């Protein structure tokens, strides 16, 4: 069950007062996807992960907060075009715009995650073209971050390679996906479950599979197990 | 959809058989030579997924889009049937559904040949016609499915026990060879019965890693594209011994060796996707593996796709490896439909003349 409450906030960008919905708590049923995309109930809370000011279009997890340079980005042509982009659901556009702000602030890892969140929203409405575009953008941010020594997933050994392999695979970037898998296999003290997930990614690549899969599938996938002649 | 390929009009009419035969011969000899190079292409978007692009097989010049986008379905294999039609394997790579084979007729019409799910087809990849005229399809559930080559009706599971089958080809010995993308090996099956004959190349032998495309060359050696390391393996077509290893000068893990085929000039052609933004068709020396040059390039971020093939009269120079085994097809002259009608008229005329002479 998810608990939601309303909160009155003041936009840090334009000063407009408004009411936003905030999440108190939520439950999670079912496994997450290989890219950590949460199961449906928890995914339903994504509307509350970032908010859009009803007056100026500023997007933030907390509208009351902004950093130097945000105003310039919000006023930019790119931002204005992204927030109203036709053919894309608004919540995905909010994540894209937030990504622009995070990128401008130099936080490439968060910018990448916002793009991935946008892709998840697009997945839910079966907008495969837009989802792919956002994953490619996420991959670009995460790869740039890696060059700065910053990882998208630090909590699990080999998790960063696993995440990037999935993003690349789902974008149809199969060579890059395999490249991340190989890099993951080479990580010292790789946990067994990460190795299994990397092997599963490799299997999916060879099946030309760009679809979403959950971590629960690893031992149950029907693809091509058994005796080989 | 219509192709841009046009055929010479037969013109004039004659009711005499001799005239019709002469005209028929004229049509076959004067028709523009077929010299095409076909490349399946997907870019992950619904706008361009499932296309077949057409190039000049001699110059590499882009001639246009032969088959338009199939929406969410990507094309993963292409071959040419005995009837002169192209056959492409398609499925929705987002959902792993809608696996089917489409037929692209010589007149450009696109139709379903193997219906979605028929015979358990899941995600079809490479496909080929056998000597029996039937269609063999690598199915990613670990088997090769056989379909009636004329109707598309499911016949049987011809071969099974495979590990991520990618491509299928009949060798000069008549047996079926299958690349196990996940099993890092090449399997061989009796070409008539489908009985397993063991590994032609054992798992991981010679460093074989994720083999994808297969093609036989003029020497009847088997060439295998292995995409993780952008390498082409050349195996002795009889023993499976490694003859050569061509490591293409591209970055592993970033660039993608997609497929191989032999061209009408008997050189080896390889498609390599570079930086995710362009796919280059390279011409390689089949003996040394040296890159002889870039034959063609495909702009745009094309997804993983296999099944490129040549259709060119000069492909007959490949002799026993020509056609399904090499990806190089030499089309037989096809009589013009109009000429066939005139031929029929001529035969009627002949019959009438004979009747007159006998009465």
């Amino acid at each position: 069950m998810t608990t939601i409450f309303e909160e009155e906030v003041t936009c840090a960008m334009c000063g407009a007062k408004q009411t936003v919905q905030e999440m108190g708590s939520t439950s999670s049923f079912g496994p997450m996807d290989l890219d950590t995309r949460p199961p449906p109930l928890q995914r339903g809370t994504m509307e509350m992960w970032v908010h859009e000011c009803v007056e100026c279009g500023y997007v933030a997890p907390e509208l009351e907060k902004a950093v130097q340079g945000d105003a310039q980005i919000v006023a930019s042509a790119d931002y204005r075009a992204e927030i109203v982009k036709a053919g894309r659901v608004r919540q995905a556009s909010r994540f894209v715009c937030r990504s622009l702000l995070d990128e401008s602030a130099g936080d490439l890892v968060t910018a990448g995650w916002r793009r991935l969140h946008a892709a998840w929203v697009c997945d839910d409405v079966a907008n495969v073209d837009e989802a792919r575009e956002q994953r490619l953008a996420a991959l670009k941010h995460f790869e740039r971050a890696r060059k700065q020594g910053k990882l998208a997933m630090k909590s699990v050994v080999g998790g960063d390679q696993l995440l990037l392999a999935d993003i690349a695979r789902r974008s149809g970037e199969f060579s890059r996906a395999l490249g991340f898998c190989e890099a993951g296999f080479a990580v010292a003290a790789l946990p067994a479950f990460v190795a299994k997930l990397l092997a599963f990614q490799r299997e999916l690549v060879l099946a030309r599979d760009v679809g979403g899969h959950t971590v629960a599938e690893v031992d149950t996938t029907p693809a091509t197990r058994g005796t080989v002649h | 959809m219509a192709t841009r390929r046009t055929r010479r009009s037969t013109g004039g009419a004659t009711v005499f058989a001799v005239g019709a035969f002469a005209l028929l011969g004229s049509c076959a000899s004067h028709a523009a030579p077929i010299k095409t190079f076909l490349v399946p292409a997907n870019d992950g978007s619904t706008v361009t997924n499932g296309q077949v692009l057409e190039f000049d097989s001699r110059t590499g010049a882009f001639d246009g889009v032969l088959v338009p986008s199939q929406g969410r379905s990507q094309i993963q294999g292409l071959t040419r049937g005995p009837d002169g039609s192209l056959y492409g394997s398609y499925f929705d790579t987002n959902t792993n559904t809608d696996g089917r084979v489409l037929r692209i007729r010589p007149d450009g019409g696109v139709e379903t040949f193997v219906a979605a799910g028929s015979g358990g087809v899941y995600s079809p990849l490479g496909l080929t016609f056998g000597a029996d005229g039937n269609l063999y399809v690598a199915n990613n559930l670990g088997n090769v499915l056989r379909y009636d080559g004329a109707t598309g009706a499911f016949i049987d599971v011809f071969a099974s026990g495979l590990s991520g089958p990618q491509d299928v080809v009949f060798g000069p010995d008549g047996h079926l060879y299958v690349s196990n993308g996940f099993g890092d090996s090449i399997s061989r099956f009796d070409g008539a019965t489908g009985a397993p004959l063991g590994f032609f190349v054992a798992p991981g032998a010679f460093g074989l890693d994720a083999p994808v495309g297969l093609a036989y060359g003029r020497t009847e050696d088997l060439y295998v594209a292995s995409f993780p390391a952008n390498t082409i393996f050349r195996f002795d077509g009889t023993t499976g011994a490694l003859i050569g290893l061509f490591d293409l000068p591209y970055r592993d893990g970033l660039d993608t060796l997609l497929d191989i085929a032999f061209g009408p000039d008997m050189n080896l052609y390889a498609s390599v996707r570079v930086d995710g933004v362009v796919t280059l068709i390279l011409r390689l020396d089949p003996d040394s593996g040296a890159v002889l040059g870039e034959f063609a390039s495909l702009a745009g971020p094309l997804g993983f796709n296999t099944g490129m093939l040549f259709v060119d009269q000069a492909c007959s120079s490949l002799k026993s490896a020509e056609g399904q085994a090499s990806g190089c097809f030499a089309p037989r002259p096809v009589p013009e439909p109009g000429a066939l009608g005139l031929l029929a008229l001529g035969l009627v005329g002949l019959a009438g003349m004979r009747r007159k002479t006998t009465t």
Side-chain angles (χ1 to χ4, degrees):
Chain A
M1 194 183 84
T2 301
T3 57
I4 296 169
F5 62 92
E6 292 191 338
E7 186 179 27
E8 188 166 314
V9 297
T10 302
C11 176
M13 200 62 53
C14 67
K17 290 188 185 304
Q18 54 211 288
T19 301
V20 298
Q21 289 190 324
E22 294 286 2
M23 181 174 59
S25 65
T26 188
S27 307
S28 179
F29 297 101
M32 65 178 176
D33 283 3
L34 294 171
D35 64 355
T36 75
R37 179 179 180 236
L41 184 63
Q42 195 178 348
R43 211 157 64 233
T45 65
M46 289 182 70
E47 287 279 341
M48 291 167 273
W49 292 8
V50 291
H51 305 287
E52 177 188 349
C53 173
V54 293
E55 287 296 324
C56 69
Y58 174 59
V59 175
E62 298 174 80
L63 286 178
E64 304 96 320
K65 295 179 181 174
V67 298
Q68 194 173 11
D70 279 355
Q72 195 178 350
I73 296 298
V74 171
S76 70
D78 283 352
Y79 188 100
R80 307 313 304 178
E82 291 288 3
I83 196 69
V84 295
K85 184 178 177 182
R88 182 171 68 199
V89 295
R90 190 71 170 206
Q91 189 59 22
S93 296
R94 291 178 184 127
F95 282 121
V96 171
C97 286
R98 186 61 227 178
S99 176
L100 293 176
L101 290 159
D102 292 326
E103 182 185 6
S104 170
D107 187 351
L108 294 174
V109 167
T110 304
W113 278 109
R114 298 300 184 201
R115 292 286 185 159
L116 190 56
H117 296 163
W120 294 350
V121 174
C122 295
D123 287 340
D124 281 339
V125 294
N127 187 345
V128 295
D129 293 348
E130 190 67 42
R132 179 173 182 271
E133 190 175 316
Q134 296 310 322
R135 281 194 169 84
L136 287 171
L139 196 58
K140 189 175 164 187
H141 287 315
F142 288 148
E143 286 186 312
R144 284 173 62 200
R146 281 174 67 85
K147 287 177 182 169
Q148 297 174 1
K150 296 171 183 168
L151 303 182
M153 190 180 284
K154 290 180 284 191
S155 55
V156 177
V157 175
D160 198 62
Q161 289 86 348
L162 184 60
L163 174 69
L164 268 59
D166 193 71
I167 297 171
R169 177 187 63 81
R170 296 211 59 190
S171 308
E173 294 288 330
F174 292 139
S175 269
R176 291 165 80 183
L178 280 193
F180 288 122
C181 288
E182 294 306 313
F185 285 127
V187 170
L190 187 71
F193 79 95
V194 177
K196 273 189 173 180
L197 291 168
L198 287 168
F200 183 51
Q201 283 288 0
R202 195 170 189 274
E203 193 169 349
L204 293 172
V205 165
L206 288 164
R208 321 281 207 277
D209 188 334
V210 297
H213 291 270
T214 70
V215 293
E217 290 177 70
V218 169
D219 293 319
T220 56
T221 179
T224 65
R225 293 243 162 83
T227 307
V228 180
H229 296 296
Chain B
M1 195 212 75
T3 60
R4 285 153 291 87
R5 196 178 297 130
T6 56
R7 289 170 184 263
R8 185 184 296 273
S9 165
T10 52
T14 175
V15 294
F16 296 108
V18 62
F21 275 115
L23 188 56
L24 178 61
S26 160
C27 288
S29 61
H30 290 159
I34 296 174
K35 47 187 184 69
T36 59
F37 171 54
L38 300 159
V39 183
N42 313 290
D43 84 347
S45 84
T46 56
V47 179
T48 53
N49 270 344
Q51 294 181 110
V52 177
L53 307 180
E54 189 173 359
F55 297 79
D56 186 304
S57 59
R58 311 287 176 88
T59 67
F62 179 58
D63 277 346
V65 177
L66 179 67
V67 178
S69 169
Q70 300 298 314
R72 292 180 61 140
S73 284
Q74 295 201 356
I75 180 169
Q76 301 292 348
L78 183 71
T79 193
R80 191 170 190 271
D83 62 348
S85 295
L86 297 172
Y87 293 78
S89 53
Y90 286 83
F91 68 98
D92 182 334
T93 53
N94 270 283
T95 58
N96 281 318
T97 58
D98 211 19
R100 65 203 190 284
V101 176
L102 298 183
R103 173 163 58 189
I104 301 108
R105 298 192 311 261
D107 67 5
V110 179
E111 61 195 10
T112 299
F113 184 67
V114 172
S118 171
V121 65
Y122 175 71
S123 47
L125 300 173
L127 68 176
T128 189
F129 279 86
D132 59 359
N134 292 320
L135 181 64
Y136 295 74
V137 181
N139 184 34
N140 210 257
L141 282 183
N143 51 29
V144 175
L145 306 176
R146 179 163 57 168
Y147 297 91
D148 186 296
T151 67
F154 175 66
I155 298 175
D156 58 9
V157 176
F158 185 74
S160 58
L162 296 157
S163 180
Q166 303 288 309
D167 202 5
V168 287
V169 64
F170 280 94
D173 58 3
H175 294 319
L176 183 70
Y177 292 77
V178 186
S179 51
N180 290 299
F182 195 62
D184 302 330
S185 57
I186 309 294
S187 293
R188 178 164 50 178
F189 295 88
D190 186 291
T193 66
L197 299 176
F199 288 116
F200 183 65
V201 179
F206 312 110
L208 185 63
D209 184 15
V212 187
L214 304 173
Y216 277 92
R218 70 186 191 288
T219 54
E220 299 191 343
D221 292 330
L222 179 62
Y223 291 73
V224 181
S226 163
F227 86 95
N230 295 315
T231 303
I232 299 171
F233 291 75
R234 179 185 178 187
F235 295 107
D236 182 292
T238 305
T239 67
L242 182 69
I243 293 178
L245 195 62
F246 309 153
D247 190 8
L248 300 185
Y250 292 93
R251 297 164 300 170
D252 300 349
L254 284 174
D255 304 324
T256 310
L257 170 62
L258 300 170
D259 199 17
I260 50 173
F262 276 83
D265 58 359
M266 293 191 283
N267 282 319
L268 179 63
Y269 289 77
S271 62
V272 181
R273 186 180 181 217
V274 181
D275 271 340
V277 295
V278 64
T279 296
L280 299 177
I281 310 297
L282 305 175
R283 181 191 280 135
L284 308 171
D285 182 311
D287 296 318
S288 68
V291 177
L292 303 176
E294 289 177 11
F295 177 66
S297 66
L298 293 67
L302 299 169
F304 200 95
N305 44 287
T306 52
M308 64 178 184
L309 56 91
F310 290 87
V311 182
D312 189 307
Q313 274 82 0
C315 287
S316 59
S317 60
L318 278 156
K319 297 177 184 170
S320 61
E322 182 268 327
Q324 304 288 335
S326 63
C328 196
F329 296 80
R332 295 191 199 106
V334 178
E336 299 292 330
L340 283 174
L342 289 171
L343 175 61
L345 277 174
L347 290 172
V348 168
L350 263 183
M353 287 167 68
R354 185 173 297 168
R355 200 174 301 123
K356 277 182 185 175
T357 56
T358 53
T359 52

